[in-house]
Amino acid sequence: DQQVKQNSPSLSVQEGRISILNCDYTNSMFDYFLWYKKYPAEGPTFLISISSIKDKNEDGRFTVFLNKSAKHLSLHIVPSQPGDSAVYFCAASASNTGKLIFGQGTTLQVKP
Amino acid sequence: KAGVTQTPRYLIKTRGQQVTLSCSPISGHRSVSWYQQTPGQGLQFLFEYFSETQRNKGNFPGRFSGRQFSNSRSEMNVSTLELGDSALYLCASSLVNRVSLNEQFFGPGTRLTVL
């Protein structure tokens, strides 16, 4: 049972435009959500996170939105740059479990 | 500050063999988690160790096991390898034992190929 789902395996956008990556979850106990970025031959690196008490968190070009009622979160990258091309994973955690559940990942390609 | 290191980076084994992977966390980090990454499945949680004790476990068969040493270094062992065990195995360390409060820092992974 996939508790965290990223239904789009890939996304292609033009440089300078907005990239929107989506993630859905099923477990209502999740209270902390993270986005990771992964380049080939490297481990994932932390990008941005959001607690369930918030509905938005912004860090530079990256903004994460959380819609608890829809059990949906999204990552917005504005403006997109070619260096943003990577695999993006969303992850969720319930504070009483101590483990992260990851989605399948979305491959973002930003074209110059 | 050195990052998370994993050895070996690449490994080729045959079915039925066993394998041991090693992970050295960032200095001072006491929590080490292991993940399996396969195409289409994302990162699947294997287990987490904190202070030499397994605190959390994912839904993997008993062929997958691990341990943590007093210096926080961790090893993962897979016995009786199957073709489906071919994957990238990632190790991640964090400063405290509540992953919801701190992001995890990942190593580059060990690419295991089972023939």
Side-chain angles (χ1 to χ4, degrees), chain A residues 32 34 36 38 41-44 46 89 93 95 97-100 102-104, chain B residues 9 35 37 40 42-43 45 48 56-57 88 90 98-100 103-104 106-108:
Chain A
Y32 196 71
L34 307 89
Y36 283 81
K38 185 181 185 299
E42 294 182 13
F46 170 75
F89 291 97
S93 171
S95 54
T97 64
K99 60 182 181 182
L100 284 178
F102 283 82
Q104 307 96 311
Chain B
R9 291 293 310 276
Y35 296 86
Q37 184 189 2
L43 277 71
F45 175 78
E48 183 221 356
N56 286 292
K57 191 177 187 303
L88 180 67
L90 291 159
R98 290 189 65 194
V99 295
S100 60
E103 67 272 19
Q104 294 183 338
F106 283 82

PDB file of all heavy atoms in Angstrom, chain A residues 32 34 36 38 41-44 46 89 93 95 97-100 102-104, chain B residues 9 35 37 40 42-43 45 48 56-57 88 90 98-100 103-104 106-108:
ATOM      1  N   TYR A  32       4.271  15.804   9.147  1.00  0.00           N
ATOM      2  CA  TYR A  32       5.461  16.514   8.706  1.00  0.00           C
ATOM      3  C   TYR A  32       5.803  16.018   7.318  1.00  0.00           C
ATOM      4  O   TYR A  32       5.783  14.808   7.069  1.00  0.00           O
ATOM      5  CB  TYR A  32       6.620  16.247   9.669  1.00  0.00           C
ATOM      6  CG  TYR A  32       7.782  17.191   9.546  1.00  0.00           C
ATOM      7  CD1 TYR A  32       7.666  18.510   9.964  1.00  0.00           C
ATOM      8  CD2 TYR A  32       9.005  16.772   9.040  1.00  0.00           C
ATOM      9  CE1 TYR A  32       8.735  19.388   9.869  1.00  0.00           C
ATOM     10  CE2 TYR A  32      10.071  17.638   8.943  1.00  0.00           C
ATOM     11  CZ  TYR A  32       9.935  18.948   9.366  1.00  0.00           C
ATOM     12  OH  TYR A  32      10.988  19.816   9.266  1.00  0.00           O
ATOM     13  N   LEU A  34       8.298  16.535   3.686  1.00  0.00           N
ATOM     14  CA  LEU A  34       9.574  17.029   3.190  1.00  0.00           C
ATOM     15  C   LEU A  34       9.681  16.781   1.695  1.00  0.00           C
ATOM     16  O   LEU A  34       9.064  15.863   1.151  1.00  0.00           O
ATOM     17  CB  LEU A  34      10.743  16.303   3.881  1.00  0.00           C
ATOM     18  CG  LEU A  34      10.772  16.272   5.416  1.00  0.00           C
ATOM     19  CD1 LEU A  34      10.025  15.061   5.956  1.00  0.00           C
ATOM     20  CD2 LEU A  34      12.203  16.260   5.912  1.00  0.00           C
ATOM     21  N   TYR A  36      12.763  16.209  -1.216  1.00  0.00           N
ATOM     22  CA  TYR A  36      14.167  15.947  -1.462  1.00  0.00           C
ATOM     23  C   TYR A  36      14.415  16.015  -2.959  1.00  0.00           C
ATOM     24  O   TYR A  36      13.554  15.682  -3.769  1.00  0.00           O
ATOM     25  CB  TYR A  36      14.562  14.555  -0.965  1.00  0.00           C
ATOM     26  CG  TYR A  36      14.745  14.436   0.522  1.00  0.00           C
ATOM     27  CD1 TYR A  36      13.656  14.273   1.365  1.00  0.00           C
ATOM     28  CD2 TYR A  36      16.012  14.477   1.088  1.00  0.00           C
ATOM     29  CE1 TYR A  36      13.831  14.161   2.731  1.00  0.00           C
ATOM     30  CE2 TYR A  36      16.194  14.361   2.456  1.00  0.00           C
ATOM     31  CZ  TYR A  36      15.101  14.196   3.268  1.00  0.00           C
ATOM     32  OH  TYR A  36      15.278  14.083   4.621  1.00  0.00           O
ATOM     33  N   LYS A  38      17.198  14.700  -5.962  1.00  0.00           N
ATOM     34  CA  LYS A  38      18.243  13.701  -6.179  1.00  0.00           C
ATOM     35  C   LYS A  38      18.812  13.814  -7.585  1.00  0.00           C
ATOM     36  O   LYS A  38      18.084  13.707  -8.570  1.00  0.00           O
ATOM     37  CB  LYS A  38      17.687  12.288  -5.946  1.00  0.00           C
ATOM     38  CG  LYS A  38      18.762  11.215  -6.036  1.00  0.00           C
ATOM     39  CD  LYS A  38      18.165   9.838  -5.812  1.00  0.00           C
ATOM     40  CE  LYS A  38      19.253   8.761  -5.781  1.00  0.00           C
ATOM     41  NZ  LYS A  38      20.002   8.677  -7.027  1.00  0.00           N
ATOM     42  N   ALA A  41      23.647   9.364  -9.357  1.00  0.00           N
ATOM     43  CA  ALA A  41      24.871   8.949  -8.663  1.00  0.00           C
ATOM     44  C   ALA A  41      25.086   9.696  -7.345  1.00  0.00           C
ATOM     45  O   ALA A  41      26.200   9.660  -6.795  1.00  0.00           O
ATOM     46  CB  ALA A  41      26.096   9.098  -9.558  1.00  0.00           C
ATOM     47  N   GLU A  42      24.072  10.389  -6.859  1.00  0.00           N
ATOM     48  CA  GLU A  42      24.174  11.036  -5.558  1.00  0.00           C
ATOM     49  C   GLU A  42      22.985  10.634  -4.695  1.00  0.00           C
ATOM     50  O   GLU A  42      21.935  10.233  -5.217  1.00  0.00           O
ATOM     51  CB  GLU A  42      24.181  12.562  -5.705  1.00  0.00           C
ATOM     52  CG  GLU A  42      25.390  13.115  -6.418  1.00  0.00           C
ATOM     53  CD  GLU A  42      25.345  14.641  -6.486  1.00  0.00           C
ATOM     54  OE1 GLU A  42      24.514  15.245  -5.782  1.00  0.00           O
ATOM     55  OE2 GLU A  42      26.147  15.205  -7.256  1.00  0.00           O
ATOM     56  N   GLY A  43      23.125  10.768  -3.369  1.00  0.00           N
ATOM     57  CA  GLY A  43      21.985  10.541  -2.503  1.00  0.00           C
ATOM     58  C   GLY A  43      21.049  11.739  -2.532  1.00  0.00           C
ATOM     59  O   GLY A  43      21.429  12.831  -2.947  1.00  0.00           O
ATOM     60  N   PRO A  44      19.804  11.562  -2.116  1.00  0.00           N
ATOM     61  CA  PRO A  44      18.862  12.683  -2.067  1.00  0.00           C
ATOM     62  C   PRO A  44      19.355  13.764  -1.107  1.00  0.00           C
ATOM     63  O   PRO A  44      20.000  13.467  -0.102  1.00  0.00           O
ATOM     64  CB  PRO A  44      17.574  12.040  -1.533  1.00  0.00           C
ATOM     65  CG  PRO A  44      17.724  10.581  -1.793  1.00  0.00           C
ATOM     66  CD  PRO A  44      19.179  10.301  -1.682  1.00  0.00           C
ATOM     67  N   PHE A  46      18.051  17.225   1.106  1.00  0.00           N
ATOM     68  CA  PHE A  46      16.876  17.901   1.640  1.00  0.00           C
ATOM     69  C   PHE A  46      16.669  19.247   0.954  1.00  0.00           C
ATOM     70  O   PHE A  46      17.620  19.998   0.725  1.00  0.00           O
ATOM     71  CB  PHE A  46      17.052  18.098   3.143  1.00  0.00           C
ATOM     72  CG  PHE A  46      16.022  18.979   3.774  1.00  0.00           C
ATOM     73  CD1 PHE A  46      14.748  18.506   3.997  1.00  0.00           C
ATOM     74  CD2 PHE A  46      16.327  20.278   4.130  1.00  0.00           C
ATOM     75  CE1 PHE A  46      13.789  19.315   4.571  1.00  0.00           C
ATOM     76  CE2 PHE A  46      15.385  21.087   4.705  1.00  0.00           C
ATOM     77  CZ  PHE A  46      14.111  20.610   4.932  1.00  0.00           C
ATOM     78  N   PHE A  89      11.615  13.844  -4.717  1.00  0.00           N
ATOM     79  CA  PHE A  89      10.843  12.930  -3.882  1.00  0.00           C
ATOM     80  C   PHE A  89      10.115  13.719  -2.800  1.00  0.00           C
ATOM     81  O   PHE A  89      10.709  14.588  -2.151  1.00  0.00           O
ATOM     82  CB  PHE A  89      11.762  11.922  -3.187  1.00  0.00           C
ATOM     83  CG  PHE A  89      12.392  10.913  -4.097  1.00  0.00           C
ATOM     84  CD1 PHE A  89      13.685  11.104  -4.571  1.00  0.00           C
ATOM     85  CD2 PHE A  89      11.712   9.764  -4.474  1.00  0.00           C
ATOM     86  CE1 PHE A  89      14.288  10.168  -5.408  1.00  0.00           C
ATOM     87  CE2 PHE A  89      12.294   8.828  -5.320  1.00  0.00           C
ATOM     88  CZ  PHE A  89      13.578   9.039  -5.777  1.00  0.00           C
ATOM     89  N   SER A  93       6.014  11.981   7.354  1.00  0.00           N
ATOM     90  CA  SER A  93       6.340  11.342   8.618  1.00  0.00           C
ATOM     91  C   SER A  93       5.240  11.599   9.635  1.00  0.00           C
ATOM     92  O   SER A  93       4.642  12.674   9.664  1.00  0.00           O
ATOM     93  CB  SER A  93       7.660  11.897   9.138  1.00  0.00           C
ATOM     94  OG  SER A  93       7.914  11.464  10.462  1.00  0.00           O
ATOM     95  N   SER A  95       4.866  11.891  13.619  1.00  0.00           N
ATOM     96  CA  SER A  95       5.858  12.181  14.658  1.00  0.00           C
ATOM     97  C   SER A  95       6.012  11.060  15.678  1.00  0.00           C
ATOM     98  O   SER A  95       7.007  10.973  16.365  1.00  0.00           O
ATOM     99  CB  SER A  95       5.513  13.483  15.377  1.00  0.00           C
ATOM    100  OG  SER A  95       4.188  13.449  15.872  1.00  0.00           O
ATOM    101  N   THR A  97       6.176   7.882  14.892  1.00  0.00           N
ATOM    102  CA  THR A  97       6.729   6.668  14.282  1.00  0.00           C
ATOM    103  C   THR A  97       8.227   6.785  14.021  1.00  0.00           C
ATOM    104  O   THR A  97       8.923   5.789  14.013  1.00  0.00           O
ATOM    105  CB  THR A  97       6.052   6.336  12.948  1.00  0.00           C
ATOM    106  OG1 THR A  97       6.333   7.382  11.998  1.00  0.00           O
ATOM    107  CG2 THR A  97       4.556   6.199  13.119  1.00  0.00           C
ATOM    108  N   GLY A  98       8.705   7.972  13.787  1.00  0.00           N
ATOM    109  CA  GLY A  98      10.134   8.158  13.566  1.00  0.00           C
ATOM    110  C   GLY A  98      10.653   7.651  12.253  1.00  0.00           C
ATOM    111  O   GLY A  98      11.846   7.393  12.113  1.00  0.00           O
ATOM    112  N   LYS A  99       9.810   7.468  11.250  1.00  0.00           N
ATOM    113  CA  LYS A  99      10.323   7.033   9.954  1.00  0.00           C
ATOM    114  C   LYS A  99       9.657   7.835   8.835  1.00  0.00           C
ATOM    115  O   LYS A  99       8.536   8.300   8.954  1.00  0.00           O
ATOM    116  CB  LYS A  99      10.114   5.542   9.733  1.00  0.00           C
ATOM    117  CG  LYS A  99       8.679   5.071   9.751  1.00  0.00           C
ATOM    118  CD  LYS A  99       8.634   3.545   9.574  1.00  0.00           C
ATOM    119  CE  LYS A  99       7.208   3.033   9.570  1.00  0.00           C
ATOM    120  NZ  LYS A  99       7.158   1.561   9.439  1.00  0.00           N
ATOM    121  N   LEU A 100      10.417   7.995   7.775  1.00  0.00           N
ATOM    122  CA  LEU A 100       9.949   8.731   6.612  1.00  0.00           C
ATOM    123  C   LEU A 100       9.403   7.763   5.567  1.00  0.00           C
ATOM    124  O   LEU A 100      10.010   6.725   5.299  1.00  0.00           O
ATOM    125  CB  LEU A 100      11.094   9.527   5.979  1.00  0.00           C
ATOM    126  CG  LEU A 100      11.553  10.807   6.679  1.00  0.00           C
ATOM    127  CD1 LEU A 100      12.717  11.410   5.913  1.00  0.00           C
ATOM    128  CD2 LEU A 100      10.415  11.815   6.750  1.00  0.00           C
ATOM    129  N   PHE A 102       8.470   7.654   1.624  1.00  0.00           N
ATOM    130  CA  PHE A 102       8.740   8.402   0.408  1.00  0.00           C
ATOM    131  C   PHE A 102       7.767   8.040  -0.712  1.00  0.00           C
ATOM    132  O   PHE A 102       7.266   6.917  -0.782  1.00  0.00           O
ATOM    133  CB  PHE A 102      10.160   8.110  -0.085  1.00  0.00           C
ATOM    134  CG  PHE A 102      11.236   8.826   0.686  1.00  0.00           C
ATOM    135  CD1 PHE A 102      11.695   8.328   1.889  1.00  0.00           C
ATOM    136  CD2 PHE A 102      11.795   9.994   0.191  1.00  0.00           C
ATOM    137  CE1 PHE A 102      12.686   8.990   2.597  1.00  0.00           C
ATOM    138  CE2 PHE A 102      12.788  10.658   0.884  1.00  0.00           C
ATOM    139  CZ  PHE A 102      13.235  10.158   2.090  1.00  0.00           C
ATOM    140  N   GLY A 103       7.556   8.993  -1.604  1.00  0.00           N
ATOM    141  CA  GLY A 103       6.850   8.733  -2.847  1.00  0.00           C
ATOM    142  C   GLY A 103       7.804   8.141  -3.869  1.00  0.00           C
ATOM    143  O   GLY A 103       8.992   7.940  -3.600  1.00  0.00           O
ATOM    144  N   GLN A 104       7.262   7.863  -5.056  1.00  0.00           N
ATOM    145  CA  GLN A 104       8.046   7.185  -6.091  1.00  0.00           C
ATOM    146  C   GLN A 104       9.007   8.117  -6.814  1.00  0.00           C
ATOM    147  O   GLN A 104       9.914   7.673  -7.502  1.00  0.00           O
ATOM    148  CB  GLN A 104       7.120   6.538  -7.139  1.00  0.00           C
ATOM    149  CG  GLN A 104       6.060   5.638  -6.566  1.00  0.00           C
ATOM    150  CD  GLN A 104       4.745   6.396  -6.409  1.00  0.00           C
ATOM    151  OE1 GLN A 104       4.703   7.496  -5.858  1.00  0.00           O
ATOM    152  NE2 GLN A 104       3.666   5.793  -6.880  1.00  0.00           N
TER     153      GLN A 104
ATOM    154  N   ARG B   9      30.605   1.283  -3.261  1.00  0.00           N
ATOM    155  CA  ARG B   9      29.674   2.049  -4.093  1.00  0.00           C
ATOM    156  C   ARG B   9      28.944   1.147  -5.095  1.00  0.00           C
ATOM    157  O   ARG B   9      27.801   1.410  -5.433  1.00  0.00           O
ATOM    158  CB  ARG B   9      30.425   3.142  -4.854  1.00  0.00           C
ATOM    159  CG  ARG B   9      30.966   4.260  -3.975  1.00  0.00           C
ATOM    160  CD  ARG B   9      29.833   5.085  -3.347  1.00  0.00           C
ATOM    161  NE  ARG B   9      28.850   5.513  -4.314  1.00  0.00           N
ATOM    162  CZ  ARG B   9      28.971   6.597  -5.072  1.00  0.00           C
ATOM    163  NH1 ARG B   9      30.041   7.364  -4.954  1.00  0.00           N
ATOM    164  NH2 ARG B   9      28.011   6.923  -5.927  1.00  0.00           N
ATOM    165  N   TYR B  35      17.418   2.668   3.243  1.00  0.00           N
ATOM    166  CA  TYR B  35      16.341   2.664   2.262  1.00  0.00           C
ATOM    167  C   TYR B  35      16.771   1.865   1.030  1.00  0.00           C
ATOM    168  O   TYR B  35      17.950   1.802   0.692  1.00  0.00           O
ATOM    169  CB  TYR B  35      16.007   4.090   1.801  1.00  0.00           C
ATOM    170  CG  TYR B  35      15.462   4.985   2.876  1.00  0.00           C
ATOM    171  CD1 TYR B  35      16.314   5.696   3.721  1.00  0.00           C
ATOM    172  CD2 TYR B  35      14.090   5.131   3.051  1.00  0.00           C
ATOM    173  CE1 TYR B  35      15.816   6.523   4.714  1.00  0.00           C
ATOM    174  CE2 TYR B  35      13.581   5.961   4.037  1.00  0.00           C
ATOM    175  CZ  TYR B  35      14.447   6.654   4.854  1.00  0.00           C
ATOM    176  OH  TYR B  35      13.946   7.471   5.836  1.00  0.00           O
ATOM    177  N   GLN B  37      16.054   1.803  -3.036  1.00  0.00           N
ATOM    178  CA  GLN B  37      15.458   2.544  -4.139  1.00  0.00           C
ATOM    179  C   GLN B  37      15.456   1.689  -5.399  1.00  0.00           C
ATOM    180  O   GLN B  37      16.505   1.221  -5.852  1.00  0.00           O
ATOM    181  CB  GLN B  37      16.214   3.845  -4.423  1.00  0.00           C
ATOM    182  CG  GLN B  37      15.534   4.666  -5.522  1.00  0.00           C
ATOM    183  CD  GLN B  37      16.358   5.844  -5.978  1.00  0.00           C
ATOM    184  OE1 GLN B  37      17.472   6.089  -5.524  1.00  0.00           O
ATOM    185  NE2 GLN B  37      15.800   6.602  -6.905  1.00  0.00           N
ATOM    186  N   GLY B  40      10.394   3.100 -10.070  1.00  0.00           N
ATOM    187  CA  GLY B  40       8.948   3.002  -9.908  1.00  0.00           C
ATOM    188  C   GLY B  40       8.473   2.809  -8.483  1.00  0.00           C
ATOM    189  O   GLY B  40       7.288   2.946  -8.204  1.00  0.00           O
ATOM    190  N   GLY B  42      10.288   4.245  -5.764  1.00  0.00           N
ATOM    191  CA  GLY B  42      10.794   5.297  -4.886  1.00  0.00           C
ATOM    192  C   GLY B  42      11.730   4.731  -3.838  1.00  0.00           C
ATOM    193  O   GLY B  42      12.377   3.706  -4.045  1.00  0.00           O
ATOM    194  N   LEU B  43      11.783   5.398  -2.714  1.00  0.00           N
ATOM    195  CA  LEU B  43      12.626   4.958  -1.611  1.00  0.00           C
ATOM    196  C   LEU B  43      11.758   4.218  -0.606  1.00  0.00           C
ATOM    197  O   LEU B  43      10.794   4.769  -0.076  1.00  0.00           O
ATOM    198  CB  LEU B  43      13.287   6.156  -0.918  1.00  0.00           C
ATOM    199  CG  LEU B  43      14.559   6.719  -1.522  1.00  0.00           C
ATOM    200  CD1 LEU B  43      14.249   7.440  -2.818  1.00  0.00           C
ATOM    201  CD2 LEU B  43      15.246   7.653  -0.548  1.00  0.00           C
ATOM    202  N   PHE B  45      11.550   2.295   2.997  1.00  0.00           N
ATOM    203  CA  PHE B  45      12.228   2.274   4.279  1.00  0.00           C
ATOM    204  C   PHE B  45      12.508   0.833   4.710  1.00  0.00           C
ATOM    205  O   PHE B  45      11.615  -0.017   4.710  1.00  0.00           O
ATOM    206  CB  PHE B  45      11.347   2.977   5.311  1.00  0.00           C
ATOM    207  CG  PHE B  45      11.851   2.936   6.721  1.00  0.00           C
ATOM    208  CD1 PHE B  45      12.874   3.774   7.124  1.00  0.00           C
ATOM    209  CD2 PHE B  45      11.300   2.069   7.636  1.00  0.00           C
ATOM    210  CE1 PHE B  45      13.337   3.745   8.432  1.00  0.00           C
ATOM    211  CE2 PHE B  45      11.746   2.027   8.942  1.00  0.00           C
ATOM    212  CZ  PHE B  45      12.758   2.870   9.340  1.00  0.00           C
ATOM    213  N   GLU B  48      15.675   1.616  10.879  1.00  0.00           N
ATOM    214  CA  GLU B  48      16.388   2.736  11.480  1.00  0.00           C
ATOM    215  C   GLU B  48      17.029   2.259  12.769  1.00  0.00           C
ATOM    216  O   GLU B  48      16.422   1.513  13.547  1.00  0.00           O
ATOM    217  CB  GLU B  48      15.442   3.897  11.795  1.00  0.00           C
ATOM    218  CG  GLU B  48      16.165   5.123  12.354  1.00  0.00           C
ATOM    219  CD  GLU B  48      15.416   5.789  13.495  1.00  0.00           C
ATOM    220  OE1 GLU B  48      14.304   5.369  13.830  1.00  0.00           O
ATOM    221  OE2 GLU B  48      15.979   6.756  14.067  1.00  0.00           O
ATOM    222  N   ASN B  56      12.977   1.287  14.343  1.00  0.00           N
ATOM    223  CA  ASN B  56      11.883   1.175  13.383  1.00  0.00           C
ATOM    224  C   ASN B  56      12.250   0.171  12.314  1.00  0.00           C
ATOM    225  O   ASN B  56      13.419   0.000  11.981  1.00  0.00           O
ATOM    226  CB  ASN B  56      11.601   2.520  12.713  1.00  0.00           C
ATOM    227  CG  ASN B  56      10.889   3.489  13.622  1.00  0.00           C
ATOM    228  OD1 ASN B  56       9.731   3.277  13.968  1.00  0.00           O
ATOM    229  ND2 ASN B  56      11.583   4.532  14.032  1.00  0.00           N
ATOM    230  N   LYS B  57      11.234  -0.462  11.777  1.00  0.00           N
ATOM    231  CA  LYS B  57      11.472  -1.461  10.747  1.00  0.00           C
ATOM    232  C   LYS B  57      10.403  -1.333   9.678  1.00  0.00           C
ATOM    233  O   LYS B  57       9.222  -1.138   9.987  1.00  0.00           O
ATOM    234  CB  LYS B  57      11.438  -2.860  11.369  1.00  0.00           C
ATOM    235  CG  LYS B  57      11.925  -3.970  10.459  1.00  0.00           C
ATOM    236  CD  LYS B  57      11.927  -5.303  11.205  1.00  0.00           C
ATOM    237  CE  LYS B  57      12.572  -6.414  10.369  1.00  0.00           C
ATOM    238  NZ  LYS B  57      11.926  -6.591   9.071  1.00  0.00           N
ATOM    239  N   LEU B  88      19.404   0.355  -5.568  1.00  0.00           N
ATOM    240  CA  LEU B  88      20.314   1.294  -4.918  1.00  0.00           C
ATOM    241  C   LEU B  88      19.948   1.321  -3.441  1.00  0.00           C
ATOM    242  O   LEU B  88      18.792   1.566  -3.093  1.00  0.00           O
ATOM    243  CB  LEU B  88      20.164   2.696  -5.529  1.00  0.00           C
ATOM    244  CG  LEU B  88      21.064   3.785  -4.943  1.00  0.00           C
ATOM    245  CD1 LEU B  88      22.524   3.515  -5.271  1.00  0.00           C
ATOM    246  CD2 LEU B  88      20.645   5.164  -5.469  1.00  0.00           C
ATOM    247  N   LEU B  90      20.372   3.086   0.050  1.00  0.00           N
ATOM    248  CA  LEU B  90      20.765   4.390   0.586  1.00  0.00           C
ATOM    249  C   LEU B  90      20.744   4.370   2.100  1.00  0.00           C
ATOM    250  O   LEU B  90      19.852   3.797   2.721  1.00  0.00           O
ATOM    251  CB  LEU B  90      19.809   5.476   0.083  1.00  0.00           C
ATOM    252  CG  LEU B  90      19.897   5.783  -1.409  1.00  0.00           C
ATOM    253  CD1 LEU B  90      18.618   6.460  -1.889  1.00  0.00           C
ATOM    254  CD2 LEU B  90      21.092   6.682  -1.702  1.00  0.00           C
ATOM    255  N   ARG B  98      14.220  11.849  16.053  1.00  0.00           N
ATOM    256  CA  ARG B  98      12.873  12.124  15.549  1.00  0.00           C
ATOM    257  C   ARG B  98      12.998  12.737  14.171  1.00  0.00           C
ATOM    258  O   ARG B  98      13.302  13.903  14.007  1.00  0.00           O
ATOM    259  CB  ARG B  98      12.134  13.080  16.480  1.00  0.00           C
ATOM    260  CG  ARG B  98      11.766  12.461  17.820  1.00  0.00           C
ATOM    261  CD  ARG B  98      10.847  13.369  18.597  1.00  0.00           C
ATOM    262  NE  ARG B  98       9.577  13.527  17.907  1.00  0.00           N
ATOM    263  CZ  ARG B  98       8.693  14.476  18.210  1.00  0.00           C
ATOM    264  NH1 ARG B  98       8.957  15.347  19.153  1.00  0.00           N
ATOM    265  NH2 ARG B  98       7.556  14.551  17.568  1.00  0.00           N
ATOM    266  N   VAL B  99      12.760  11.933  13.155  1.00  0.00           N
ATOM    267  CA  VAL B  99      13.011  12.401  11.791  1.00  0.00           C
ATOM    268  C   VAL B  99      12.077  13.541  11.414  1.00  0.00           C
ATOM    269  O   VAL B  99      12.306  14.273  10.496  1.00  0.00           O
ATOM    270  CB  VAL B  99      12.898  11.256  10.783  1.00  0.00           C
ATOM    271  CG1 VAL B  99      13.964  10.224  11.020  1.00  0.00           C
ATOM    272  CG2 VAL B  99      11.527  10.619  10.823  1.00  0.00           C
ATOM    273  N   SER B 100      11.011  13.706  12.148  1.00  0.00           N
ATOM    274  CA  SER B 100      10.098  14.771  11.782  1.00  0.00           C
ATOM    275  C   SER B 100      10.642  16.140  12.159  1.00  0.00           C
ATOM    276  O   SER B 100      10.135  17.147  11.707  1.00  0.00           O
ATOM    277  CB  SER B 100       8.746  14.558  12.466  1.00  0.00           C
ATOM    278  OG  SER B 100       8.915  14.561  13.859  1.00  0.00           O
ATOM    279  N   GLU B 103      15.885  17.023   9.038  1.00  0.00           N
ATOM    280  CA  GLU B 103      16.015  16.325   7.774  1.00  0.00           C
ATOM    281  C   GLU B 103      17.127  15.293   7.874  1.00  0.00           C
ATOM    282  O   GLU B 103      18.038  15.400   8.684  1.00  0.00           O
ATOM    283  CB  GLU B 103      16.320  17.304   6.639  1.00  0.00           C
ATOM    284  CG  GLU B 103      17.673  17.977   6.725  1.00  0.00           C
ATOM    285  CD  GLU B 103      17.654  19.257   7.535  1.00  0.00           C
ATOM    286  OE1 GLU B 103      16.713  19.449   8.324  1.00  0.00           O
ATOM    287  OE2 GLU B 103      18.584  20.055   7.378  1.00  0.00           O
ATOM    288  N   GLN B 104      17.019  14.269   7.054  1.00  0.00           N
ATOM    289  CA  GLN B 104      18.032  13.246   7.009  1.00  0.00           C
ATOM    290  C   GLN B 104      19.058  13.591   5.945  1.00  0.00           C
ATOM    291  O   GLN B 104      18.730  14.160   4.904  1.00  0.00           O
ATOM    292  CB  GLN B 104      17.397  11.895   6.702  1.00  0.00           C
ATOM    293  CG  GLN B 104      16.478  11.403   7.803  1.00  0.00           C
ATOM    294  CD  GLN B 104      15.905  10.044   7.516  1.00  0.00           C
ATOM    295  OE1 GLN B 104      15.831   9.605   6.381  1.00  0.00           O
ATOM    296  NE2 GLN B 104      15.490   9.346   8.562  1.00  0.00           N
ATOM    297  N   PHE B 106      21.658  12.044   3.349  1.00  0.00           N
ATOM    298  CA  PHE B 106      21.859  10.781   2.658  1.00  0.00           C
ATOM    299  C   PHE B 106      23.281  10.609   2.147  1.00  0.00           C
ATOM    300  O   PHE B 106      23.944  11.574   1.750  1.00  0.00           O
ATOM    301  CB  PHE B 106      20.903  10.667   1.460  1.00  0.00           C
ATOM    302  CG  PHE B 106      19.493  10.335   1.831  1.00  0.00           C
ATOM    303  CD1 PHE B 106      18.614  11.327   2.252  1.00  0.00           C
ATOM    304  CD2 PHE B 106      19.040   9.017   1.775  1.00  0.00           C
ATOM    305  CE1 PHE B 106      17.306  11.023   2.592  1.00  0.00           C
ATOM    306  CE2 PHE B 106      17.731   8.701   2.114  1.00  0.00           C
ATOM    307  CZ  PHE B 106      16.870   9.707   2.522  1.00  0.00           C
ATOM    308  N   GLY B 107      23.714   9.357   2.119  1.00  0.00           N
ATOM    309  CA  GLY B 107      24.945   9.014   1.441  1.00  0.00           C
ATOM    310  C   GLY B 107      24.697   8.813  -0.035  1.00  0.00           C
ATOM    311  O   GLY B 107      23.543   8.887  -0.496  1.00  0.00           O
ATOM    312  N   PRO B 108      25.728   8.531  -0.812  1.00  0.00           N
ATOM    313  CA  PRO B 108      25.575   8.366  -2.264  1.00  0.00           C
ATOM    314  C   PRO B 108      24.952   7.042  -2.662  1.00  0.00           C
ATOM    315  O   PRO B 108      24.513   6.880  -3.794  1.00  0.00           O
ATOM    316  CB  PRO B 108      27.007   8.460  -2.783  1.00  0.00           C
ATOM    317  CG  PRO B 108      27.841   7.985  -1.638  1.00  0.00           C
ATOM    318  CD  PRO B 108      27.129   8.431  -0.401  1.00  0.00           C
TER     319      PRO B 108
END
